[in-house]
Amino acid sequence: MGVLLRRVLDGHERVAEWSPGDTASIDAARELLQRELDAGYIAVSGEDDDNEPLTELPVDAEAVILTMPMGGG
């Protein structure tokens, strides 16, 4: 089972779940992920230290984290 999480001030908020064998849950998670990306969120894998942005839902992932871009300079 995979989970889509949104980073919030006090941790993470669960926004979707999917199971690799459940097409309906995968489609729903993909749609939600795309809406969040279109709204300005960045998605990264929650399983390793690789913070490369994701543009598609990795169905075999345990967790995908949504976060807003951070400024800096």
Side-chain angles (χ1 to χ4, degrees):
M1 167 123 1
V3 62
L4 184 60
L5 303 167
R6 181 182 295 117
R7 184 171 285 149
V8 294
L9 290 176
D10 60 347
H12 294 94
E13 172 185 46
R14 186 178 300 248
V15 293
E17 293 181 345
W18 67 91
S19 176
D22 181 359
T23 305
S25 69
I26 293 169
D27 290 344
R30 281 182 174 147
E31 288 177 26
L32 190 116
L33 174 62
Q34 190 59 55
R35 281 196 308 264
E36 297 296 316
L37 294 175
D38 291 346
Y41 279 88
I42 294 173
V44 296
S45 173
E47 298 170 28
D48 52 34
D49 292 331
D50 181 17
N51 290 325
E52 288 297 316
L54 301 172
T55 57
E56 295 184 11
L57 183 74
V59 177
D60 59 343
E62 290 182 25
V64 173
I65 300 171
L66 296 163
T67 188
M68 291 302 285
M70 292 185 207

